[in-house]
Amino acid sequence: MTDDTTLRARTEDLAEALSVAGPRLDDATRARVQQAVDGVRERLALGVDHTVVALAGGTGSGKSSLFNKISRLTFADVGVKRPTTARVTACSWDDGAEALLDWIGVDRERRIVQADELEDDRTEALAGLVLLDLPDHDSVEPRHREVVDRVLPLVDLLVWVVDPQKYADHALHSGYLRESVGMEASMLVLLNQVDTVPPARREELLADLGRLLEDDGLRGVPVVPVSARTGEGVARVREIFEEVCARRSVAAGRAAGELDAAARMLLAQTPAEIPWQLGPAVERELPVLVEATGLDAVAGQVGAAVRNGYGKPEFPVPDRDAVTLARSSWLTRAGASLRPGWQRALAEAVDGADQLRAKVTAATQTVGLDARGPARSRLVKRLAAAGLGLAVVAAVVALLVTTGVVGAADPWPVVAWGAAAVLAVVGAALWLGAVVTRRSLARRREEEVRQAGREALARVLVEGLGAPTQRLLAEHRRAHELAQAARDLPAAGPLTGAVRLPTVLAVPEVSTGAAADRPLEAARD
């Protein structure tokens, strides 16, 4: 798979992730990811035959003077009065960069083709180079920063020009350098005006600058000391540009860095681990709805009605506060690991409190409240009553015969007492059986109501809260996977397709001595 194919695949993964995540992302992340997708698409459409290098820096850093030194022209504005211009200046080393400069937004009158002015072997070695001089990022003129912010994502190699007095500028580090983590392989730092620093203090200055870059999260960014006034280090900068131009993947490297940075922002909005499961979530909130509907009390009423043979159980209107509480608890638990935008989307996706309450009410109406007794209960009770009645009659007859009130042969008292006993036992057994049967049925009906009610309320939770939650979390997982793919697909070069710049100057290790811990006072002022 070629660099272009890999980058296009990563770009489309990131675009799809953005489409899936949509408005659930915060504005800054959504805009940054969209900018990366659009920018890389456009850059790839223009091809990678040109290498766009931008000189960026603050007021007084001398980047325009360096621009002139590197190009060996006097085209860029070098102004004593600040600010100079809010427009970008461009020098290209061939005349085929017009479409690219149109895309970047460089005015026609701010362009020059170096090959038209000067022809030599070094010019040929830089074929394909497009060098930009950007406005000061810290200018008092707001339009300058707007131009810088617009152009920076479009370049292939970003060269920060700093000076000994303002290299620790907070606006530079917090506003730009820390936002460039992940694109170190497409960055270079030039410490200009080193001719103003005593030779004995240069190492300390470079060490402090290296420490600041490390603090910004930028590791391995080459640092070159230069002087636009004396020309010191300029030849080395040209050599770097020649190496970069010889490796036609710098544009791909910058694009890969843009994709990686945007994907990391999107991944921060879609964390991988969302510890949520539907079953346990339903079980946690179900008792609240059971209480809100009075399900257990109604089930008990059904049992009592079956046992007693009378009563008409009904579900009360569900308690709104309890239903609202169940919904709120659901959202809190399901959205605990989600970012705010996704939490809002979850709240919008699930049923509202009133809608959920209406569904709970409808669900209770589907629960059968059968309070009828056993089908043969009345017949059994009547037979039992008849048996007991006959037993009483038989007992009275036996008593009369035994006392001689009624005359009868000798066997009759025994028969009468026996019949009374049998009828009494049968009647009592029938009556007891009817009571046991009714109570057993009451318990069964009570449990059936309780079970049917819980199932109906569980369905409400699943349909009204669970299914929307599952869909949203599936989209969250899909967005995360796509963003991860946009970062992890392999591409040529050490940083997802980026060209590793030669280590021009290994930034000295910061020692633990007092001198290393104390930066130049002049640089902090």
Side-chain angles (χ1 to χ4, degrees):
M1 186 180 289
T2 64
D3 286 350
D4 279 8
T5 303
T6 299
L7 285 171
R8 292 181 196 281
R10 291 179 58 193
T11 303
E12 295 313 309
D13 281 338
L14 193 59
E16 187 178 351
L18 180 61
S19 176
V20 172
R24 297 146 187 172
L25 303 174
D26 61 66
D27 293 342
T29 300
R30 186 166 61 252
R32 178 69 179 82
V33 175
Q34 188 65 62
Q35 182 186 51
V37 169
D38 294 342
V40 173
R41 279 175 174 169
E42 293 177 8
R43 186 66 179 92
L44 291 175
L46 292 169
V48 291
D49 291 336
H50 289 90
T51 298
V52 181
V53 178
L55 299 180
T59 304
S61 62
K63 56 184 175 50
S64 295
S65 298
L66 272 176
F67 179 95
N68 290 337
K69 274 286 185 181
I70 294 169
S71 65
R72 291 185 284 179
L73 301 172
T74 56
F75 186 59
D77 298 315
V78 181
V80 176
K81 183 179 179 180
R82 300 287 174 177
T84 54
T85 178
R87 297 191 294 174
V88 181
T89 300
C91 178
S92 59
W93 268 253
D94 62 55
D95 55 5
E98 294 303 310
L100 181 60
L101 292 174
D102 287 341
W103 175 67
I104 294 174
V106 180
D107 295 338
R108 295 275 175 170
E109 63 272 18
R110 305 294 299 177
R111 308 176 187 179
I112 190 170
V113 179
Q114 206 271 357
D116 292 344
E117 307 294 334
L118 188 63
E119 290 283 353
D120 60 17
D121 293 340
R122 303 304 295 271
T123 299
E124 184 177 350
L126 292 172
L129 175 64
V130 176
L131 184 63
L132 305 180
D133 179 25
L134 303 183
D136 303 332
H137 72 81
D138 59 351
S139 170
V140 295
E141 173 56 57
R143 287 182 301 155
H144 286 206
R145 177 168 181 134
E146 293 173 3
V147 172
V148 172
D149 292 344
R150 177 180 61 80
V151 174
L152 284 186
L154 311 180
V155 305
D156 303 320
L157 176 62
L158 181 57
V159 180
W160 284 105
V161 180
V162 298
D163 62 84
Q165 284 70 44
K166 295 196 299 181
Y167 72 89
D169 178 54
H170 178 73
L172 170 63
H173 289 269
S174 64
Y176 291 100
L177 292 179
R178 291 171 193 165
E179 298 298 322
S180 300
V181 173
M183 293 184 284
E184 292 92 331
S186 296
M187 290 180 62
L188 176 65
V189 176
L190 302 182
L191 179 60
N192 194 18
Q193 303 173 15
V194 293
D195 56 301
T196 65
V197 180
R201 303 192 70 187
R202 289 189 183 184
E203 184 176 349
E204 181 184 356
L205 182 66
L206 291 168
D208 191 46
L209 176 55
R211 180 183 60 78
L212 288 174
L213 292 174
E214 291 277 336
D215 290 345
D216 291 332
L218 298 170
R219 305 183 187 281
V221 176
V223 179
V224 183
V226 297
S227 171
R229 188 177 68 84
T230 67
E232 179 182 352
V234 173
R236 187 66 185 113
V237 174
R238 287 202 193 97
E239 291 176 3
I240 296 171
F241 290 174
E242 289 173 7
E243 290 189 45
V244 166
C245 290
R247 307 179 185 185
R248 291 301 188 192
S249 59
V250 169
R254 178 66 180 180
E258 284 293 313
L259 292 176
D260 189 71
R264 281 190 288 106
M265 289 187 69
L266 202 155
L267 286 171
Q269 295 288 312
T270 55
E273 296 299 326
I274 304 295
W276 182 89
Q277 292 180 321
L278 178 60
V282 171
E283 288 300 320
R284 278 192 299 266
E285 307 309 330
L286 185 57
V288 180
L289 293 190
V290 167
E291 184 176 353
T293 57
L295 174 62
D296 290 336
V298 173
Q301 293 170 12
V302 169
V306 172
R307 284 192 301 271
N308 301 329
Y310 60 88
K312 189 178 181 181
E314 292 183 351
F315 277 101
V317 177
D319 182 73
R320 189 182 190 283
D321 290 340
V323 174
T324 301
L325 178 63
R327 179 181 181 275
S328 177
S329 176
W330 180 286
L331 292 174
T332 299
R333 294 176 184 274
S337 299
L338 298 176
R339 296 297 181 263
W342 289 90
Q343 290 176 347
R344 289 192 295 271
L346 178 61
E348 294 170 359
V350 302
D351 285 348
D354 290 336
Q355 187 178 8
L356 188 65
R357 183 167 176 253
K359 288 186 176 181
V360 168
T361 301
T364 59
Q365 303 308 309
T366 65
V367 179
L369 303 180
D370 189 357
R372 296 172 300 172
R376 299 180 180 179
S377 176
R378 290 186 178 181
L379 176 60
V380 172
K381 281 190 173 183
R382 286 174 182 173
L383 290 175
L388 290 174
L390 291 174
V392 171
V393 171
V396 170
V397 171
L399 181 62
L400 293 175
V401 171
T402 302
T403 57
V405 175
V406 177
D410 291 339
W412 276 107
V414 176
V415 173
W417 284 114
V422 170
L423 289 173
V425 169
V426 171
L430 288 174
W431 187 271
L432 182 60
V435 171
V436 171
T437 300
R438 183 175 286 274
R439 289 186 176 180
S440 176
L441 180 62
R443 286 194 298 271
R444 187 168 67 252
R445 292 269 179 83
E446 183 175 341
E447 184 58 31
E448 287 174 354
V449 170
R450 187 176 286 108
Q451 183 63 30
R454 290 179 66 88
E455 291 175 357
L457 294 176
R459 284 194 297 272
V460 171
L461 286 173
V462 170
E463 295 170 5
L465 302 179
T469 300
Q470 285 184 315
R471 287 192 295 270
L472 182 128
L473 292 182
E475 292 176 358
H476 184 279
R477 183 167 54 253
R478 177 63 175 160
H480 176 88
E481 291 171 352
L482 288 167
Q484 190 66 48
R487 287 197 66 192
D488 290 345
L489 281 178
L495 179 62
T496 58
V499 171
R500 176 66 69 188
L501 295 176
T503 304
V504 181
L505 174 69
V507 178
E509 291 290 328
V510 180
S511 68
T512 57
D517 292 335
R518 185 179 61 255
L520 292 179
E521 297 300 328
R524 295 300 191 193
D525 293 336

